[in-house]
Amino acid sequence: MKRILVINGPNINLLGIREPEIYGKESYADLLAFICNSARSAGVEVRCFQSNSEGAIVDEIQNAIGQFNGIIINPAAYTHTSIAIPDALKATGIPAVEVHLSDISNREEYRKISYTAEACCATIAGKGFEGYSEAIEVLSSISH
């Protein structure tokens, strides 16, 4: 059975509170339930992790070696600032998909830059929670 690690970055834990006009009114607990249901439907096992700390995210990526067949990452604000996160993704060799709830290509100029994208086999943006389900499908189709 495929095992996928889902990593959510800073402020994702504030879903439903933070800018609901951009990120929606559903909570982080709602997102976790959606991810678990999507994984169950796809026949994969998932573990979800959220942190506001870049170092904790890097540690989690490194700890995935030998444990997971894929990584779904929503690095949130670190998408546009972190070099350490894509470096960790590249170092593990684990296929990764970048997910964003909003369409970062239609937002502020600085949000259009993703350092994480080059370390991922796909980027899914602007599809809300459904982006995570699509990422599960992408990773499920990769043999690793």
Side-chain angles (χ1 to χ4, degrees), residues 2 4 28 31 36 43 45 49 56-58 72-73 75 77-79 89 92 95 106 116 128 135 137 143:
K2 287 241 181 193
I4 296 173
Y28 183 62
L31 175 61
C36 288
E45 183 183 331
F49 173 81
I57 293 169
V58 169
I72 295 170
I73 185 161
Y78 291 131
T79 303
L89 289 168
T92 68
N106 286 322
T116 313
E137 289 176 29
S143 60

Side-chain angles (χ1 to χ4, degrees), residues 119-137:
C120 295
C121 60
T123 297
I124 301 166
K127 297 187 176 184
F129 286 10
E130 189 57 39
Y132 290 84
S133 181
E134 287 188 30
I136 289 169
E137 289 176 29

Side-chain angles (χ1 to χ4, degrees), residues 44-97:
V44 301
E45 183 183 331
V46 294
R47 186 170 95 67
C48 295
F49 173 81
Q50 188 277 327
S51 180
N52 296 317
S53 168
E54 182 180 26
I57 293 169
V58 169
D59 288 342
E60 195 68 18
I61 293 167
Q62 292 177 359
N63 291 336
I65 296 171
Q67 304 297 315
F68 294 93
N69 310 98
I71 296 174
I72 295 170
I73 185 161
N74 181 343
Y78 291 131
T79 303
H80 325 291
T81 63
S82 177
I83 303 300
I85 290 171
D87 281 354
L89 289 168
K90 289 178 200 174
T92 68
I94 300 169
V97 175

Side-chain angles (χ1 to χ4, degrees), residues 3-19:
R3 297 189 73 228
I4 296 173
L5 174 63
V6 180
I7 299 174
N8 284 294
N11 300 310
I12 302 296
N13 58 310
L14 295 179
L15 283 177
I17 299 168
R18 178 182 177 230
E19 300 176 278

Side-chain angles (χ1 to χ4, degrees), residues 5 11 34 64 96 98 102-103 110 136:
L5 174 63
N11 300 310
F34 178 86
E98 177 185 42
S102 67
D103 183 355
Y110 67 89
I136 289 169

